Amino acid sequence: MLIELKNKRRLPAIDIFRGLAIAVMLLVNSLPNFEQAYPLLLHAPWAGLTLADLAFPGFVFIMGTAGALWFPKHEWDNSWDKFNIIFRRSALLILLGIVLNQLPILLQHIFYPAAGVSLWTDIAEHGRLMGVLQRLGLVYFFGMIITWWLRSEKLIAIMALLLLVLSSTCFHLYDTTNPFSPDNNISMLIDGLFPGAAHCYQGKAFDPEGLYGTIAATASFLWGMLAGKQLTLNSAPVFERVLLLLVSGTVLLIMGGAWSYLDIISKQLWTAPYVLLTSGGFMWLLGLLQVSCSLFPGFTEWLFTPFRLLGHNPLFMFVVPDRILLFLWYLPVHGVPVYVWLWQNTLLGLLGAPLSIMVYAMLWVILWLPIANFLYKRQIIFKL
């Protein structure tokens, strides 16, 4: 991991967008009680779309957008150097994700030790291999290689659609009657082969960040890449670029709505309509942010300051708060996690659920703003 000191001007719209995704992630991950929380803050159990289901695809999409800015900066690098950078970043993301996935098992052994079971045996038998960072690493690698290979925006768009067609078709070929069954689908079949049910999320037979979903998730990255290319067209005025982005987003939204009559909208399976609807909405959001930044740069950056700060250091804000939160969930106080105990023993309880749950989670998000501001003022960026 590198700690970089940056003085170069970044695109505020991208940082704000990324910060919005991080804020949503911090909010939905920090709910002290999931049973009584507002449904909008919870992931859809299988099919459907909530606010919580927008954070991860937002990361993937904006990672593609930022990737569009990477290629011009490395235009004069030779092919080996380009490949080496892409591969190294992907591999480090995957490795970091695997390492961080073992923290729950470590905390379990520290606070709730079980007799006769060693830590290393538990990790070998039940350690989760896939996860958010692993999917980001895989998607980054395939998305960047595809973009490098195809170059043309038209070809990249065609490839994104082909990936969605491939993902959807295999679902239907595997089970022609109920292709998206939560009990039996092709994604679950792949997870059973690798990494195996024992190494999936919470020991289930299915991993929401499994290998199969990477196919459609790569399409999300490619739509973000196209958005980045449209946003940075040097030959076109800013409003023409934004208009092109909004038109593209509208097309994706229409396609996603039509495709939802064939496939379900599911974050767990990362289905084709889920990709199209989220990517289309993200194009609209990014376009509106860019318009606002162009027309009212000072006001926009001031208005969205919290999100700009969070988005300035995405890797740090993605990893550190979540790991600390995990520790607070395992640390027991009077028989309950300290994080839950604090929620139960503050004045927030007077608000009643689910309002107190949401306010408590929002306070957790606000808690990280001074740290984000500290890193921003010193232009410190943690990256792989």
Side-chain angles (χ1 to χ4, degrees):
M1 180 180 294
L2 301 177
I3 303 177
E4 289 195 355
L5 300 178
K6 294 281 186 179
N7 294 313
K8 292 184 293 185
R9 179 72 170 170
R10 296 155 62 105
L11 285 179
I14 292 181
D15 274 344
I16 293 170
F17 185 105
R18 191 186 287 119
L20 285 166
I22 290 174
V24 173
M25 179 204 70
L26 292 176
L27 182 68
V28 301
N29 285 353
S30 59
L31 301 174
N33 185 308
F34 293 93
E35 286 74 22
Q36 296 179 288
Y38 289 115
L40 188 65
L41 300 180
L42 302 174
H43 290 289
W46 190 249
L49 190 62
T50 69
L51 178 65
D53 296 319
L54 299 178
F56 193 11
F59 267 103
V60 175
F61 179 89
I62 205 64
M63 184 168 64
T65 305
L69 308 180
W70 183 86
F71 280 104
K73 297 176 183 177
H74 296 268
E75 184 178 1
W76 305 111
D77 290 357
N78 62 49
S79 296
W80 172 249
D81 287 338
K82 284 192 180 76
F83 180 83
N84 185 48
I85 294 172
I86 294 170
F87 179 80
R88 178 178 59 83
R89 287 181 175 174
S90 302
L92 288 175
L93 275 172
I94 294 170
L95 180 60
L96 179 61
I98 293 174
V99 171
L100 292 177
N101 275 0
Q102 313 318 312
L103 185 57
I105 296 179
L106 173 62
L107 294 175
Q108 180 75 29
H109 277 260
I110 292 175
F111 295 113
Y112 308 97
V117 180
S118 72
L119 171 63
W120 301 114
T121 299
D122 210 358
I123 290 176
E125 294 181 352
H126 304 289
R128 188 185 178 200
L129 294 180
M130 299 303 294
V132 171
L133 288 178
Q134 292 90 314
R135 174 164 288 182
L136 288 174
L138 290 171
V139 164
Y140 179 80
F141 178 78
F142 292 118
M144 293 293 280
I145 295 299
I146 288 172
T147 301
W148 184 18
W149 171 45
L150 297 178
R151 299 179 184 273
S152 164
E153 293 180 34
K154 185 181 296 186
L155 292 178
I156 293 172
I158 292 173
M159 178 59 75
L161 285 175
L162 288 177
L163 289 174
L164 296 181
V165 170
L166 173 64
S167 174
S168 175
T169 301
C170 291
F171 271 114
H172 288 276
L173 289 178
Y174 177 74
D175 189 337
T176 57
T177 58
N178 192 7
F180 304 100
S181 167
D183 301 315
N184 183 35
N185 57 72
I186 190 172
S187 187
M188 189 176 292
L189 171 68
I190 300 300
D191 289 339
L193 297 175
F194 180 87
H199 297 282
C200 286
Y201 179 64
Q202 295 183 346
K204 299 177 181 178
F206 169 78
D207 199 307
E209 279 78 52
L211 282 177
Y212 190 78
T214 303
I215 298 174
T218 302
S220 297
F221 180 96
L222 293 179
W223 293 127
M225 177 68 71
L226 287 174
K229 286 179 171 290
Q230 292 173 351
L231 200 62
T232 55
L233 284 173
N234 294 326
S235 59
V238 61
F239 292 106
E240 186 176 323
R241 287 179 268 154
V242 170
L243 180 61
L244 181 61
L245 193 59
L246 297 183
V247 170
S248 300
T250 301
V251 171
L252 293 189
L253 288 172
I254 294 172
M255 290 176 58
W259 208 318
S260 67
Y261 287 94
L262 177 66
D263 297 353
I264 66 172
I265 302 169
S266 175
K267 184 262 181 187
Q268 302 249 29
L269 295 175
W270 213 283
T271 57
Y274 172 75
V275 170
L276 292 169
L277 291 172
T278 54
S279 298
F282 293 151
M283 285 185 176
W284 264 86
L285 176 58
L286 186 60
L288 294 177
L289 287 173
Q290 183 59 40
V291 168
S292 183
C293 289
S294 299
L295 289 177
F296 316 103
F299 175 76
T300 301
E301 293 192 37
W302 170 81
L303 181 63
F304 291 100
T305 293
F307 306 112
R308 186 163 49 85
L309 294 176
L310 293 174
H312 188 260
N313 232 310
L315 183 63
F316 179 89
M317 287 299 162
F318 188 88
V319 172
V320 176
D322 190 61
R323 297 303 101 181
I324 293 178
L325 185 63
L326 184 65
F327 175 80
L328 296 177
W329 268 99
Y330 273 90
L331 181 63
V333 174
H334 303 302
V336 298
V338 65
Y339 187 73
V340 177
W341 182 86
L342 289 171
W343 166 65
Q344 293 174 338
N345 291 272
T346 61
L347 294 177
L348 288 176
L350 298 176
L351 298 176
L355 181 57
S356 67
I357 296 172
M358 184 181 71
V359 172
Y360 188 72
M362 290 176 65
L363 291 175
W364 173 259
V365 178
I366 294 172
L367 177 67
W368 290 96
L369 291 179
I371 299 173
N373 185 53
F374 174 85
L375 297 174
Y376 176 78
K377 285 188 176 299
R378 286 157 181 77
Q379 291 294 294
I380 300 173
I381 302 176
F382 292 80
K383 61 183 300 184
L384 296 176

